[in-house]
């Protein structure tokens, strides 16, 4: 997928979400640890604004996926 910003994109396969920390301080946001196949794991630090954006995007993606999956 091309970058909208024109910046290079690094693709790193993630094998597990191993930790999610959401702080009670509204100014801090969240941290998400992702385990990779590479020599290093990722520790994403999200501001509160970015956390909300991610939540909205995931909710929309789940809704779209639900439309395509037959009900059981």
């Amino acid at each position: 997928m091309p970058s909208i910003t024109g910046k290079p994109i690094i693709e790193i396969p993630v094998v597990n979400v191993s930790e999610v920390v959401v702080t009670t301080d509204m100014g801090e946001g969240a941290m998400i640890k992702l385990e990779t196949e590479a020599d290093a794991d990722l520790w994403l630090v999200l501001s509160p604004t970015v956390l909300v954006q991610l939540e909205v995007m995931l909710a929309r993606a789940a809704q779209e996926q639900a439309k395509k999956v037959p009900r059981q």
Side-chain angles (χ1 to χ4, degrees):
M1 174 184 294
S3 171
I4 298 172
T5 63
K7 296 178 186 178
I9 296 175
I10 300 170
E11 187 173 317
I12 302 172
V14 173
V15 296
N16 189 36
V17 178
S18 58
E19 190 172 352
V20 176
V21 178
V22 179
T23 66
T24 56
D25 182 347
M26 292 303 292
E28 290 186 17
M31 295 171 282
I32 302 171
K33 183 179 178 189
L34 304 173
E35 295 176 14
T36 73
E37 295 175 345
D39 293 335
D41 291 336
L42 300 173
W43 190 245
L44 303 177
V45 180
L46 308 175
S47 70
T49 301
V50 172
L51 179 59
V52 169
Q53 290 172 339
L54 177 60
E55 290 172 338
V56 168
M57 291 177 82
L58 289 171
R60 287 181 183 157
Q63 287 176 340
E64 287 302 314
Q65 186 178 33
K67 290 178 188 176
K68 297 174 183 170
V69 176
R71 290 189 176 187
Q72 296 191 10

